[in-house]
Amino acid sequence: MSDCLFCKIIAGQIPGAIVYQDDRVVAFKDINAQAPTHVLVVPRRHIATLNDLTPEDDGLVGEMTRRAAAIAKEHGHADRGYRTVFNCNADAGQTVFHIHMHVLGGRRLAWPPG
Ligand code: 5GP
Ligand code: ZN
């Protein structure tokens, strides 16, 4: 989608600190990190919100989830722990409408979230 920020990062039109990419999934550092590790895992294909997922996307979401776990492990967070989050729409504070899994680690994370 031409006016989507994350599509532009995926396409290399806007710089992004990319930590992983393959033909379906891209991961890059969040520009406003909320923890020592804060990476966003996104599908290359534009999907606006979790509400837009279909059963055909189940494999893609599985890949995103396993990639998030791999990135957390690479950053040394597997044993102590980390958090993955999808925000969906206004009440959750979604600001970029291209689905992204936040991977947060490296500090104690409070629960419940704010
Ligand atoms: P949301 O609030 O939609 O769940 O998360 C969007 C995330 O994208 C935020 O954590 C925000 O810091 C991040 N973000 C916004 N603009 C940019 C950008 O230009 N580059 C990168 N790498 N992250 C961004
Ligand atoms: Zn997009």
Side-chain angles (χ1 to χ4, degrees), residues 1 4-8 10 44-47 97-98:
M1 190 166 283
C4 170
L5 176 65
F6 287 175
C7 280
K8 288 178 180 169
I10 292 162
R44 280 194 185 274
R45 182 162 58 84
H46 183 88
I47 301 169
F97 288 84
H98 179 134

Side-chain angles (χ1 to χ4, degrees), residues 7-15 18:
C7 280
K8 288 178 180 169
I9 290 175
I10 292 162
Q13 294 165 0
I14 290 177
I18 291 174

